[in-house]
Amino acid sequence: MLDAPTIAATREAIAAARAGGRTIGFVPTMGALHAGHVSLIDRCRADGCFTVVSIFVNPTQFGPNEDLNRYPRTLDADRTACERAGVDVIFAPTAEEMYPPGEQTRVRPGRLADTLCGPFRPGHFEGVCTVVAKLFNIVQPDVAYFGQKDAQQALILGRMAIDLATPIRIVTCPIVRDADGLALSSRNALLSREERGQALALYRALCIGRDAILRGEASIGRIVAAMRNAVVQSAGSAVIDYLSLVDPDTLEPITPHCPRVLIAGAIRLGGVRLIDNLTVEIPPPTP
Ligand code: AMP
């Protein structure tokens, strides 16, 4: 495994692999790797790709009052995890390598970024698009792997790849959860024991929403009220950013014609922001 801190070294290793006929697969991460990240690496390798993982806590996607400084950084453990998982190249640049002096260009996403997390994290998706566009230019992968855990991010980046005519196939992989259902997240390490107990409220609320849809409940208002109630009951101190039912392809409000619903939520526990989602197939109406 090559551990490359520079763009030049990364490009060189990838060029050699490409010259050898390999398909290049890319897994961008912010490190503090867990089984969710490893599932993306496993998929990339299972697809036969030369596997490149980036580890970069991207400052431009954090707002001024967000947790950039507190974000978990475990680079040595991440290297070991990548080695074990069979990664070919780790690209772990410095902030200066990614944002050299004088840089000023940004990639601004469109409507997909105006909903769900967007209003609560102004500038976040612009930071994500900017860094991923740079990473795409550095790695120039054939395929890039993202987690459904960040469903809105995966959609925005898929749109970006098309809109910027980047010839990269985007693969979205399923959410990996702890045994009790909590979606794995690097930020889970920041939860106190009590908060970890309350964190499950988000997944429980999503399940309540899913079950209501499967039962045929047609009122979005009633479904969301039941989900909110579930969070308030089991995580009294949580702040709910949103609990929403949207079209999984457009993130627009669902209509009677949507065959599937994305149930998505974000809550804050102490200073830790958690997101999660479930996709539900709407059962056909009974005659
Ligand atoms: P992050 O390091 O949080 O920026 O995540 C890097 C990639 O891993 C993103 O594509 C995430 O969607 C994905 N990811 C994070 N958590 C999970 C999870 N629990 N299951 C599957 N993928 C995940």
Side-chain angles (χ1 to χ4, degrees), residues 28-30 34 36-37 40 71 146-147 149-150 153 174-176 184:
T29 81
M30 296 208 300
H34 51 65
H37 298 112
L40 307 187
Y71 196 85
F146 293 94
K149 158 86 173 10
D150 299 271
Q153 168 177 278
I175 302 175
V176 177
L184 295 188

Side-chain angles (χ1 to χ4, degrees), residues 16 26 62 72 78 98 118 130 145-146 155 170 181 192 194 207 224 240 260 274 279:
F26 180 39
F62 288 80
D78 293 348
M98 291 302 287
T130 300
Y145 296 84
F146 293 94
L155 271 184
I170 305 288
S192 68
E194 192 193 338
C207 291
V224 171
I240 300 171
R260 295 180 307 138
L274 301 174
T279 305

Side-chain angles (χ1 to χ4, degrees), residues 203-217:
Y203 178 62
R204 287 218 189 94
L206 300 179
C207 291
I208 283 170
R210 176 198 59 199
D211 295 346
I213 290 172
L214 294 177
R215 268 200 320 273
E217 172 61 72

Side-chain angles (χ1 to χ4, degrees), residues 203-257:
Y203 178 62
R204 287 218 189 94
L206 300 179
C207 291
I208 283 170
R210 176 198 59 199
D211 295 346
I213 290 172
L214 294 177
R215 268 200 320 273
E217 172 61 72
S219 159
I220 307 287
R222 272 203 294 270
I223 296 173
V224 171
M227 291 168 61
R228 283 188 164 269
N229 195 35
V231 172
V232 172
Q233 294 295 313
S234 51
S237 64
V239 175
I240 300 171
D241 275 0
Y242 64 85
L243 291 166
S244 301
L245 278 63
V246 294
D247 181 319
D249 300 319
T250 63
L251 305 184
E252 304 281 345
I254 54 171
T255 66
H257 307 293

Side-chain angles (χ1 to χ4, degrees), residues 11 21 24 50 54 56 119 153-154 173 181 190 200 246 253 258 266:
R11 283 204 169 122
I24 310 301
F50 181 84
S54 64
F56 181 59
Q153 168 177 278
C173 302
L190 300 173
L200 202 54
V246 294
C258 288

